[in-house]
Amino acid sequence: MYAGARQPAYAPTPYSYPPNPSLSSHISLDEEVQLSASSAERDLYDSLAEIYSVIVTLDALEKAYIKDSIVEAEYTETCDRLLKQYKAILSDETVAREFTNLETFKREWDMECPRATERLRIGLPATVEQPTPSNTGATGAAIAEATQDFITFLDALKLNLLAKDSLHPLLSDVIHSVNKVTDRDFEGRGKIVQWLITLNQMKATEEITEDQARELSFDMEQAYHGFKATLK
């Protein structure tokens, strides 16, 4: 401290010193502060904020499901909707480029959401990934729907539709319709889930290789036969 200067007995406040006009802000309190330079930039920030909200909400939903604080039907519907919102927002190339990836986004915004992270990695509600036993018998319509979904997916592979945005929705239909028929862990069911996780981690326009396509086709044929075996 300067010689002779008396140290105050309290932390200084903005009013402890006389105002200096040269250091005063020139921003009018009546002037609207622009947080973005353009409407496109504002839309980008809105989208990133929506992603943040989806992650936080999904993490809370997973905790509620683990604690059995939410019924399965409500959990499944809400989780499925959040996963679709997440994918829809990131389908915009500008948003995806700014987002980079989930781990980078979490570090940048200091987020700790382990349950949401795992659910986003898998891309399926827990009730779809591992269905709980049900006493309701399968209807003929449900069996026909599951059979048709298997055939539609296999036909897509035969038509050389190898992009994620072509295959992932069709494979999601397969696992959803199968779960309506049976909760048994039949041969090949685990492969369906694993391929869904693999596709979920790809970019929308990214394609699986020819070797992957052959392997996927083989796994799905095995899963189809395993599914039919549960109906006997």
Side-chain angles (χ1 to χ4, degrees), residues 80-172:
D80 203 38
R81 183 173 67 251
L82 289 170
L83 291 172
K84 288 178 179 178
Q85 288 175 347
Y86 179 82
K87 294 172 185 176
I89 297 169
L90 287 176
S91 64
D92 185 295
E93 292 184 4
T94 302
V95 177
R97 186 166 52 249
E98 184 69 21
F99 177 78
T100 308
N101 58 60
L102 181 55
E103 291 303 321
T104 300
F105 186 80
K106 285 166 53 184
R107 282 195 303 270
E108 182 177 355
W109 297 103
D110 194 24
M111 302 180 72
E112 290 290 340
C113 300
R115 294 175 180 83
T117 300
E118 180 64 9
R119 190 54 50 208
L120 290 170
R121 183 188 72 83
I122 295 173
L124 295 169
T127 47
V128 176
E129 179 192 4
Q130 298 177 336
T132 54
S134 172
N135 295 323
T136 58
T139 64
I143 295 173
E145 180 184 0
T147 301
Q148 184 59 52
D149 287 340
F150 266 111
I151 295 172
T152 299
F153 184 81
L154 290 168
D155 285 346
L157 289 176
K158 292 175 183 177
L159 293 172
N160 208 34
L161 300 178
L162 306 180
K164 173 199 172 173
D165 57 3
S166 296
L167 295 178
H168 191 275
L170 296 177
L171 194 54
S172 293

Side-chain angles (χ1 to χ4, degrees), residues 28-221:
S28 170
L29 296 179
D30 297 326
E31 180 181 347
E32 181 180 357
V33 178
Q34 296 292 331
L35 299 179
S36 55
S38 64
S39 59
E41 188 176 2
R42 183 168 58 252
D43 289 343
L44 174 60
Y45 291 154
D46 286 346
S47 296
L48 294 175
E50 288 172 3
I51 291 176
Y52 184 97
S53 177
V54 166
I55 295 172
V56 172
T57 304
L58 184 56
D59 200 68
L61 179 68
E62 290 294 307
K63 291 178 182 177
Y65 177 68
I66 292 172
K67 294 178 180 178
D68 204 22
S69 300
I70 184 173
V71 297
E72 288 192 1
E74 184 179 352
Y75 162 79
T76 303
E77 180 184 355
T78 305
C79 184
D80 203 38
R81 183 173 67 251
L82 289 170
L83 291 172
K84 288 178 179 178
Q85 288 175 347
Y86 179 82
K87 294 172 185 176
I89 297 169
L90 287 176
S91 64
D92 185 295
E93 292 184 4
T94 302
V95 177
R97 186 166 52 249
E98 184 69 21
F99 177 78
T100 308
N101 58 60
L102 181 55
E103 291 303 321
T104 300
F105 186 80
K106 285 166 53 184
R107 282 195 303 270
E108 182 177 355
W109 297 103
D110 194 24
M111 302 180 72
E112 290 290 340
C113 300
R115 294 175 180 83
T117 300
E118 180 64 9
R119 190 54 50 208
L120 290 170
R121 183 188 72 83
I122 295 173
L124 295 169
T127 47
V128 176
E129 179 192 4
Q130 298 177 336
T132 54
S134 172
N135 295 323
T136 58
T139 64
I143 295 173
E145 180 184 0
T147 301
Q148 184 59 52
D149 287 340
F150 266 111
I151 295 172
T152 299
F153 184 81
L154 290 168
D155 285 346
L157 289 176
K158 292 175 183 177
L159 293 172
N160 208 34
L161 300 178
L162 306 180
K164 173 199 172 173
D165 57 3
S166 296
L167 295 178
H168 191 275
L170 296 177
L171 194 54
S172 293
D173 288 343
V174 171
I175 196 67
H176 277 89
S177 59
V178 162
N179 286 344
K180 293 178 183 177
V181 175
T182 179
D183 50 48
R184 292 170 57 186
D185 189 16
F186 57 84
E187 181 184 359
R189 186 187 182 283
K191 289 289 186 179
I192 300 176
V193 174
Q194 285 302 315
W195 276 110
L196 275 167
I197 295 173
T198 298
L199 292 170
N200 186 60
Q201 295 174 344
M202 295 168 57
K203 295 180 179 178
T205 56
E206 190 176 351
E207 295 186 349
I208 60 175
T209 64
E210 291 185 4
D211 288 342
Q212 285 179 311
R214 283 194 292 271
E215 183 180 356
L216 175 54
S217 180
F218 175 80
D219 288 342
M220 290 302 295
E221 289 281 1

